[in-house]
Amino acid sequence: MTENSVTDNSWGGPAGRVSPRLAKNALRNWRERLIEGLLFCMAAVSVLTTLGIVYVLVKESIIFFQHVRIVDFLTDTRWTPLFDDAHYGILVLISGTLVSSAVALAVAIPVGTIIAIYLSEFATARVREVAKPILEVLGGIPTIVFGYFALMVVTPLLQRVLPELPGFSLLSAGLVMGVMIVPYVSSLSEDAMRAVPMSLREGAYAMGSTRLQVALKVVVPAATSGLAASYILGISRAVGETMIVAVAAGMQPNLTFNPMEPAATITSFIVQVALGDLPHGSIGYLTIFAAGLTLLLITLTLNVIGLWMRKKYREHY
Amino acid sequence: MNPNQHPYPVKAEARKLNFFYGLVQALKAIDMPLYERQVTALIGPSGCGKSTFLRCFNRMHDLYPGNRYEGEIVFHPDNTNLLSTEVDPIEVRMRIGMVFQKPNPFPKSIFENVAYGLRVRGERNRRVLDDKVEQSLKDAALWNEVKDRLKDMAFNLSGGQQQRLCIARALATDPELLLFDEPTSALDPIATASIEELMHDLKKRVTILIVTHNMQQAARISDHTAYMYLGDLIEFGKTDEIFIKPRDKRTEDYITGRLS
Ligand SMILES: Nc1ncnc2c1ncn2[C@@H]1O[C@H](COP(=O)(O)OP(=O)(O)OP(=O)(O)O)[C@@H](O)[C@H]1O
Ligand SMILES: [Mg+2]
């Protein structure tokens, strides 16, 4: 463009006062700011709460580790913080947590996935309408109810098949915990599979696949990242679950990998101490912060793995 | 319109074909042959029923409730009505392949995408799979670009490569009839040209039915053309004749409207 054409442009002259129809709207501006501020405050509250929890856990754990060496905490094979001969081997509680979670996941992941595949790929709309609310109700039952169900119904039933099963066991608690987690896994997995576009299914059907082949060979692989996320959520629920193990697994610390034995988990130990009459600030009381920090680190690791899996298996459709 | 005038045998033939989405009739009494080892193009304005017609051939409409066929599509050499309730749609799809508008590779490696149809049919022999995958990729003019990365995920290919992969996938099972629903509408001119060239080679061994919005493409690649309008088949004939002197005014308007 030449210089001429710019000056010739009748629209390009110096601007006068801002016309009222284009002027800034002070009131709208102010309202937007206010709403933005409110939203920010709410987000800040949840972040601050989390930070507060981490702060307390870390601060109290530091005091704890001034009395107990970290090496002992990580390698000792006894957990007897309330005895005169006190030992603080967190492995004992981790073993209980791992075994009960493993039992629970051995139930929840296969059953949850199968339900999800059925609901997403096979069920008619009518069946889905009935089944989904039922699953949601299952997910809404308070865990204490599951705990007593394990103790009073499942354990006696299991004892008929396994006579040597004690009254409290990781097996019984884990199985019921698995049932409790099924709806979480199935609901998220189903969402992931239903998000797979129809064009992919049509492509598979057009190749002469059966319904089952479409579901297993195409839909499930396409939904990998969502399935992984649902499993990670299931694992987090299992590791953090408290009432079922506190009620049905017994609370005696026990370094074991046998689900047929009673044992304490990290969470059930925390309940035990928090409800007991240990003086605040005593070393026994401080153990719950160290145990809590351990739990936090485990779930944090799981979440990081989950994020990483999500990135790695990101859906490409 | 008399099939006997043509030197090619009929591969499939729609007879009084009606199709309904629920209560909405999308195809109205269509009579049309597909000649063996010929390319037949379906043209017509958007919404006229081209995809609907195409998807009758591999019973794709069976996937959704409420769809209903009336009439017949007779498939040769079996001389069987594909739409009969006694025909298994899975068997139909084993013999009639389809390539979609948008490339839809499976979330698997390049190799497994092409091997998919064979695996679905129970093929386990590694040698057979290897040979067939290589041959199909060659037939789809993709082999040279991917031979060193067969284990890569199919998503990493470009759009045009993905579409050729979908063609290779369909070819691997030796279909007798291949259905293409606007296979190049999502591709750039170069990828489009390579797929058109491919179709030209393919028709030596398979019958092809293709939906296209591109008149030049229909004129370039097809032997026969069908013009559809509002669910009716308005005109069917040799592509030269349809494009040079259509018999129906509506066909002429459509073609000239697009070509000029
Ligand atoms: N699932 C469906 N349910 C109800 N009506 C449908 C459905 N799919 C298509 N139709 C209708 O059937 C008619 C034909 O659609 P079709 O998709 O076959 O058109 P088309 O010729 O392929 O168009 P385009 O060139 O836009 O792809 C249209 O009127 C459309 O609205
Ligand atoms: Mg269409």
Side-chain angles (χ1 to χ4, degrees):
Chain A
M1 252 195 205
T2 64
E3 236 173 279
N4 228 357
S5 67
V6 174
T7 42
D8 278 356
N9 185 349
S10 56
W11 297 101
R17 292 203 16 236
V18 173
S19 103
R21 285 162 64 198
L22 291 173
K24 280 190 178 163
N25 180 334
L27 182 64
R28 182 173 63 210
N29 233 358
W30 190 80
R31 265 212 332 253
E32 291 276 316
R33 288 268 173 83
L34 186 76
I35 292 171
E36 205 182 304
L38 271 174
L39 292 177
F40 177 80
C41 287
M42 289 184 215
V45 165
S46 67
V47 172
L48 286 178
T49 314
T50 314
L51 286 181
I53 293 173
V54 173
Y55 171 74
V56 171
L57 282 178
V58 171
K59 188 180 122 219
E60 302 287 329
S61 297
I62 287 173
I63 305 176
F64 173 80
F65 285 118
Q66 283 162 1
H67 298 271
V68 178
R69 292 195 312 153
I70 280 201
V71 182
D72 293 337
F73 184 72
L74 292 178
T75 56
D76 201 327
T77 55
R78 277 169 299 172
W79 178 263
T80 54
L82 312 181
F83 293 5
D84 289 340
D85 174 27
H87 286 273
Y88 304 92
I90 192 72
L91 285 180
V92 177
L93 297 185
I94 290 182
S95 81
T97 296
L98 283 184
V99 173
S100 60
S101 300
V103 172
L105 295 170
V107 174
I109 289 184
V111 175
T113 310
I114 289 170
I115 291 180
I117 292 177
Y118 173 74
L119 286 181
S120 148
E121 303 302 308
F122 290 86
T124 59
R126 294 257 317 264
V127 172
R128 212 166 21 233
E129 267 166 39
V130 178
K132 287 205 79 165
I134 293 180
L135 278 171
E136 270 150 34
V137 167
L138 192 63
I141 297 174
T143 54
I144 185 86
V145 176
F146 278 108
Y148 281 98
F149 177 71
L151 187 65
M152 325 253 265
V153 179
V154 175
T155 303
L157 280 177
L158 285 174
Q159 279 168 334
R160 290 207 196 154
V161 195
L162 307 162
E164 66 277 28
L165 190 77
F168 295 103
S169 71
L170 291 168
L171 179 66
S172 173
L175 287 179
V176 172
M177 193 151 90
V179 173
M180 180 209 90
I181 295 170
V182 162
Y184 295 91
V185 174
S186 68
S187 150
L188 269 190
S189 300
E190 196 213 331
D191 290 347
M193 294 201 290
R194 284 169 72 84
V196 173
M198 210 49 215
S199 66
L200 215 53
R201 285 190 190 87
E202 287 192 348
Y205 279 115
M207 293 300 300
S209 320
T210 61
R211 234 163 219 267
L212 190 65
Q213 286 166 335
V214 173
L216 298 183
K217 288 172 179 268
V218 174
V219 178
V220 167
T224 310
S225 89
L227 293 178
S230 85
Y231 298 163
I232 296 282
L233 176 79
I235 299 173
S236 301
R237 297 280 322 182
V239 169
E241 172 46 39
T242 308
M243 287 326 285
I244 299 177
V245 279
V247 170
M251 296 217 220
Q252 49 277 55
N254 178 5
L255 180 62
T256 180
F257 288 98
N258 179 1
M260 305 274 289
E261 290 179 19
T265 64
I266 300 177
T267 51
S268 70
F269 171 77
I270 294 176
V271 173
Q272 191 184 13
V273 172
L275 297 180
D277 43 14
L278 283 175
H280 284 220
S282 71
I283 177 84
Y285 192 79
L286 284 175
T287 51
I288 67 175
F289 294 100
L293 188 64
T294 312
L295 195 60
L296 184 78
L297 288 176
I298 294 177
T299 35
L300 193 70
T301 315
L302 287 173
N303 282 327
V304 171
I305 295 176
L307 269 181
W308 173 79
M309 296 245 257
R310 221 173 235 221
K311 264 213 187 114
K312 174 143 191 234
Y313 296 107
R314 196 162 43 93
E315 277 87 359
H316 290 265
Y317 39 77
Chain B
M1 279 284 249
N2 180 356
N4 299 329
Q5 291 170 347
H6 292 270
Y8 299 98
V10 173
K11 182 67 199 168
E13 187 176 10
R15 291 186 189 155
K16 296 264 163 306
L17 176 65
N18 292 311
F19 181 81
F20 301 84
Y21 287 111
L23 296 175
V24 183
Q25 182 163 12
L27 297 179
K28 295 170 195 157
I30 298 201
D31 284 296
M32 188 179 126
L34 300 185
Y35 296 105
E36 193 159 345
R37 273 168 281 172
Q38 294 272 287
V39 177
T40 305
L42 285 173
I43 60 171
S46 188
C48 69
K50 305 179 296 293
S51 302
T52 305
F53 181 55
L54 186 93
R55 291 157 64 93
C56 289
F57 283 84
N58 65 346
R59 298 271 300 262
M60 224 45 186
H61 298 297
D62 290 33
L63 299 180
Y64 305 94
N67 294 343
R68 188 160 57 86
Y69 313 90
E70 261 175 23
E72 300 183 329
I73 293 180
V74 181
F75 193 61
H76 299 290
D78 309 57
N79 196 21
T80 300
N81 175 18
L82 292 178
L83 305 177
S84 155
T85 45
E86 275 138 60
V87 166
D88 184 348
I90 290 179
E91 295 298 331
V92 172
R93 295 177 198 137
M94 293 258 180
R95 293 173 56 186
I96 300 181
M98 178 162 180
V99 176
F100 296 76
Q101 176 170 8
K102 201 171 147 252
N104 55 356
F106 300 142
K108 297 172 181 293
S109 68
I110 293 170
F111 182 93
E112 285 303 326
N113 260 279
V114 183
Y116 181 88
L118 298 167
R119 290 207 192 276
V120 161
R121 286 155 180 74
E123 182 61 65
R124 293 253 174 70
N125 186 325
R126 189 76 209 181
R127 278 274 303 284
V128 174
L129 289 173
D130 283 347
D131 289 351
K132 201 72 206 179
V133 167
E134 176 172 345
Q135 191 52 49
S136 308
L137 285 169
K138 280 179 177 158
D139 290 344
L142 190 59
W143 175 251
N144 286 330
E145 288 154 74
V146 302
K147 61 173 184 276
D148 303 317
R149 44 191 289 216
L150 293 175
K151 291 214 159 56
D152 273 21
M153 289 300 278
F155 303 120
N156 297 330
L157 297 173
S158 74
Q161 289 173 325
Q162 288 187 13
Q163 194 62 306
R164 275 178 285 153
L165 182 71
C166 292
I167 295 175
R169 181 173 80 188
L171 288 176
T173 54
D174 293 322
E176 296 159 48
L177 168 60
L178 259 182
L179 310 169
F180 289 87
D181 194 347
E182 302 183 41
T184 59
S185 65
L187 304 181
D188 69 66
I190 292 172
T192 300
S194 80
I195 285 179
E196 286 182 9
E197 198 177 318
L198 189 61
M199 263 182 236
H200 192 77
D201 296 337
L202 284 179
K203 77 173 193 186
K204 294 188 186 107
R205 55 194 180 100
V206 295
T207 307
I208 291 176
L209 177 60
I210 175 174
V211 173
T212 177
H213 270 293
N214 181 329
M215 293 307 107
Q216 288 94 329
Q217 181 171 66
R220 275 194 303 266
I221 63 174
S222 71
D223 304 294
H224 293 83
T225 297
Y227 173 64
M228 291 179 69
Y229 184 67
L230 295 178
D232 285 308
L233 176 62
I234 304 295
E235 189 165 351
F236 172 82
K238 289 208 160 127
T239 298
D240 308 340
E241 290 168 12
I242 293 261
F243 278 87
I244 292 166
K245 48 177 196 345
R247 270 163 295 169
D248 197 290
K249 181 80 171 55
R250 290 166 291 183
T251 317
E252 186 177 351
D253 289 347
Y254 182 71
I255 291 172
T256 50
R258 290 298 175 104
L259 277 179
S260 56

